[in-house]
Amino acid sequence: MPVFAVALLMAGLSFGVLGLLGNNDDLWRAGLFLVLTAVPLLIIRTVHNSQRVSADQLTNADNAGYMRALDHVARGLLDVPPAPRRGGNRDRDEQVAGNVITLRPHNIHQSERKAL
């Protein structure tokens, strides 16, 4: 089925482009119909393949996640910074990896609330 759907998609794209370049509305509409027919077939096949994961694939995914976690620990990305030796406040800035995009900036300082 995927070969049929991909062939249908390529034929539809080719007909659509040729219809647009040659000002042929019928060929363009035929290409559009073929593309709109092929896309749901490709989506169905992709969902079907994603639901049929084998035990070996699950094991490989678990091992890859475990190895990534070990790598993060080895690089110190998951370790909690130690407490200061002589009291005082901990650093408020969190240590993050270079490829992490934070959702909320850490450098926003709000004024303290005090009771009147």
Side-chain angles (χ1 to χ4, degrees):
M1 181 163 121
V3 174
F4 174 70
V6 171
L8 196 63
L9 180 68
M10 290 301 148
L13 289 173
S14 300
F15 288 167
V17 168
L18 289 175
L20 285 174
L21 292 177
N23 290 332
N24 188 345
D25 289 340
D26 292 333
L27 190 60
W28 180 81
R29 287 183 186 128
L32 179 64
F33 176 75
L34 290 175
V35 167
L36 292 178
T37 304
V39 168
L41 294 175
L42 290 172
I43 292 172
I44 290 169
R45 183 62 179 184
T46 304
V47 169
H48 185 268
N49 284 343
S50 70
Q51 298 297 321
R52 295 184 48 168
V53 177
S54 68
D56 291 336
Q57 290 171 329
L58 284 176
T59 303
N60 290 340
D62 286 340
N63 288 338
Y66 181 70
M67 294 304 288
R68 182 171 293 141
L70 286 177
D71 179 51
H72 283 161
V73 169
R75 291 192 294 154
L77 298 176
L78 300 179
D79 292 338
V80 177
R85 291 184 184 184
R86 296 184 179 145
N89 295 330
R90 283 189 178 194
D91 292 335
R92 299 239 184 238
D93 295 333
E94 183 178 338
Q95 181 183 9
V96 295
N99 60 352
V100 175
I101 300 172
T102 57
L103 296 177
R104 295 183 197 135
H106 296 287
N107 57 1
I108 295 176
H109 298 290
Q110 296 179 353
S111 61
E112 286 187 27
R113 294 183 178 181
K114 294 183 180 180
L116 297 175

